[in-house]
Amino acid sequence: MNLLKIIFLFFCTWMTGELTAQTPFERYFLDKTLRFDYYHCGDSRNQEYFFDELKEEPYWAGSKVSLLDDTGYGVQLFKIFDKASGKEIYSRSYCTLFNEWQTTPEAQTVRKAMPESVVFPYPKNEVRIEIYARNRKGVFEKKFEQDIDPNSYFVKKFTPRYETFEVAYNGNPSTRVDIVLVPEGYTQNEKEKFAAACRVFAEEFFSYSPFKENAARFNIRAVWAPSMESGVTIPGEHVWRNTAAQARYYTFDSERYQMIEDFQGLRDIAAHAPYDHIYVLSNTQKYGGGGILNSYNLSMTHNEWFKPVVVHEFGHSFAGLADEYAYEDEAIPMYPHDVEPWESNITTLVDFKGKWENLIKPGTPIPTPLSRKAKDVMTKVGVYEGAGYSLKGVYRGTQDCRMRTNQNPEFCPVCQQAISRVIDFYTK
């Protein structure tokens, strides 16, 4: 065997070993974020997606192991494919404010567009993004696809504008759940007021199970992005404020629903720190807020109910937990009774398998009658009618829970199980 052949064989063996040693993350991604901005448009019956722009963000805080989403959550889903091989290399499910708007009376007669975005680790090579939405039967259907060249000079670079500070730091972002706190309606001279709210947030957050048992698996950071005016926008009271995140009450004409339509602008602020989840702290005493799966949370900070609302809203965005309360006068059911909800803490009993039956003691009747024993309210797991805003046809796992009432001091076993599974997913 001549010398050139020996060198060639050695090189091939070395390259094979190098590729084998690489993790999927190292093979396909760089340690930063690519953001795909788009507009979500349509009405109650139709939805379309229109590309806006690509943005590079400086940090990747997500897991480098859990690259494909296997939770089954969300109304939307996006997938990233390596263009050369056709291999799916990343995916995440999520919900949007636009999809909530589609259920409103306004969407019956108005067509609307909302700015949205998704983020994923920065690809080394060309990829394809595909966006899916659930149909009436709860099945994901592909609605949009586009090729992406991450090396294009049209990818907008991140320009830092704000300072950041740590609230609770416990280690490497890739093996932690990273929360970024964003101020809304705090002016330049209210920085300490915001910092104090951040400390209260962390103290309350880690007082609930299963967060307190997993505190070492979380990082919390804050971005100091002051607003031009103090307070928040309340259209129903003719109050308009020039604020950093442009949050407002009366979202969808619901007085207490305080949300943000410009999700792209919110990401511009959050990108100053590594993050998996965004939590907006709103400088107001007026009760209200909201949370959307894998998008963002928002809560008022200077109301007596701030502390209990914090974890309730995080339950929505982090673990996809549904509200477990019901309305007496619900006009249109949020959850069709012939479709199983994707949320892990409610059921229509259409397909209950794989939810919380592992927590139900043998012999428990399904549906489960209410118990008058105080000790059963939080501990007796069953299938209780009344959840997801409906008095009939939708069921919850316990009689009461943090996802049902503000007065409840903890998450029920069903919700704790769901949250723990998502913590594991993020921190592998």
Side-chain angles (χ1 to χ4, degrees):
M1 185 180 291
N2 62 40
L3 180 60
L4 286 176
K5 183 176 287 187
I6 292 172
I7 292 173
F8 176 75
L9 289 173
F10 172 80
F11 177 77
C12 289
T13 303
W14 176 77
M15 283 299 293
T16 301
E18 281 294 296
L19 291 173
T20 302
Q22 282 185 316
T23 68
F25 186 90
E26 293 168 332
R27 189 175 306 156
Y28 294 110
F29 300 113
L30 301 172
D31 198 12
K32 56 183 178 180
T33 291
L34 186 59
R35 194 174 110 196
F36 185 88
D37 285 357
Y38 64 93
Y39 283 88
H40 201 169
C41 312
D43 54 26
S44 64
R45 296 167 296 279
N46 305 287
Q47 55 185 324
E48 296 181 86
Y49 306 79
F50 295 90
F51 171 64
D52 184 12
E53 61 183 354
L54 295 169
K55 292 185 177 180
E56 176 187 317
E57 296 183 352
Y59 310 105
W60 176 249
S63 171
K64 296 180 179 179
V65 177
S66 299
L67 299 179
L68 301 182
D69 192 329
D70 61 359
T71 63
Y73 295 164
V75 176
Q76 305 279 150
L77 171 71
F78 77 92
K79 299 179 180 180
I80 303 297
F81 295 86
D82 176 61
K83 192 174 178 183
S85 66
K87 179 181 176 64
E88 182 183 347
I89 56 177
Y90 189 82
S91 64
R92 281 296 181 270
S93 57
Y94 62 108
C95 291
T96 72
L97 192 64
F98 178 87
N99 289 128
E100 291 186 18
W101 172 78
Q102 286 186 297
T103 68
T104 67
E106 182 184 50
Q108 299 286 332
T109 58
V110 173
R111 290 180 58 80
K112 191 179 181 78
M114 291 189 187
E116 295 178 357
S117 73
V118 294
V119 294
F120 45 94
Y122 206 100
K124 290 182 176 180
N125 304 304
E126 290 188 25
V127 296
R128 182 178 75 257
I129 184 172
E130 296 182 356
I131 299 179
Y132 297 73
R134 288 192 195 269
N135 62 20
R136 169 65 176 74
K137 292 298 183 181
V139 178
F140 279 117
E141 295 180 339
K142 187 167 73 171
K143 297 292 187 179
F144 174 90
E145 68 174 67
Q146 181 169 310
D147 292 339
I148 296 173
D149 179 5
N151 300 307
S152 168
Y153 46 70
F154 288 113
V155 178
K156 184 177 291 186
K157 304 299 181 184
F158 175 78
T159 302
R161 293 181 293 158
Y162 305 118
E163 64 177 286
T164 64
F165 59 88
E166 291 176 357
V167 181
Y169 179 78
N170 289 294
N172 189 331
S174 67
T175 54
R176 302 294 188 282
V177 179
D178 291 87
I179 302 172
V180 62
L181 303 178
V182 172
E184 172 66 336
Y186 290 89
T187 57
Q188 191 68 50
N189 63 354
E190 294 179 298
K191 181 180 179 180
E192 180 49 42
K193 186 180 181 182
F194 170 62
C198 292
R199 293 190 293 269
V200 173
F201 172 94
E203 290 168 4
E204 184 67 11
F205 183 82
F206 291 125
S207 71
Y208 282 79
S209 293
F211 301 124
K212 64 182 177 184
E213 293 85 355
N214 291 279
R217 301 167 78 182
F218 283 81
N219 292 326
I220 302 177
R221 301 175 181 86
V223 178
W224 174 232
S227 295
M228 294 299 294
E229 294 182 287
S230 182
V232 298
T233 292
I234 312 174
E237 299 176 14
H238 305 287
V239 175
W240 298 86
R241 296 284 186 265
N242 183 356
T243 55
Q246 301 180 51
R248 62 178 60 179
Y249 283 89
Y250 287 87
T251 299
F252 309 150
D253 209 24
S254 176
E255 179 183 357
R256 299 188 306 180
Y257 202 24
Q258 183 188 190
M259 298 299 283
I260 297 165
E261 282 199 14
D262 185 8
F263 187 37
Q264 295 175 8
L266 180 57
R267 281 207 192 272
D268 287 340
I269 300 173
H272 287 73
Y275 73 90
D276 297 304
H277 291 272
I278 303 170
Y279 209 115
V280 181
L281 301 182
S282 179
N283 184 20
T284 179
Q285 295 180 352
K286 184 176 176 62
Y287 182 89
I292 304 175
L293 176 69
N294 289 336
S295 291
Y296 66 91
N297 305 268
L298 194 152
S299 175
M300 76 286 158
T301 53
H302 304 293
N303 179 283
E304 62 178 322
W305 292 108
F306 168 45
K307 290 182 179 182
V309 166
V310 159
V311 289
H312 175 95
E313 299 302 346
F314 196 73
H316 287 311
S317 73
F318 180 68
L321 299 178
D323 286 319
E324 296 181 10
Y325 49 82
Y327 293 129
E328 292 282 350
D329 57 349
E330 183 191 29
I332 302 174
M334 181 70 73
Y335 296 94
H337 296 174
D338 60 342
V339 177
E340 182 63 30
W342 56 263
E343 291 92 337
S344 58
N345 64 323
I346 63 172
T347 181
T348 55
L349 292 177
V350 171
D351 185 12
F352 182 55
K353 185 178 180 181
K355 291 212 164 176
W356 65 84
E357 71 269 29
N358 64 308
L359 300 175
I360 300 175
K361 291 182 179 180
T364 302
I366 296 177
T368 311
L370 296 177
S371 171
R372 293 185 178 182
K373 297 178 181 178
K375 65 182 182 65
D376 288 343
V377 172
M378 279 293 296
T379 60
K380 185 176 180 180
V381 178
V383 181
Y384 300 90
E385 191 167 31
Y389 319 116
S390 295
L391 288 172
K392 299 291 184 181
V394 186
Y395 303 83
R396 61 193 188 276
T398 57
Q399 290 184 218
D400 200 9
C401 174
R402 189 64 206 82
M403 296 307 297
R404 183 170 171 82
T405 63
N406 280 335
Q407 291 81 3
N408 198 289
E410 58 187 304
F411 288 106
C412 71
V414 173
C415 292
Q416 288 197 38
Q417 175 177 263
I419 292 169
S420 295
R421 287 173 176 170
V422 179
I423 292 173
D424 289 343
F425 177 80
Y426 273 93
T427 57
K428 288 180 182 178

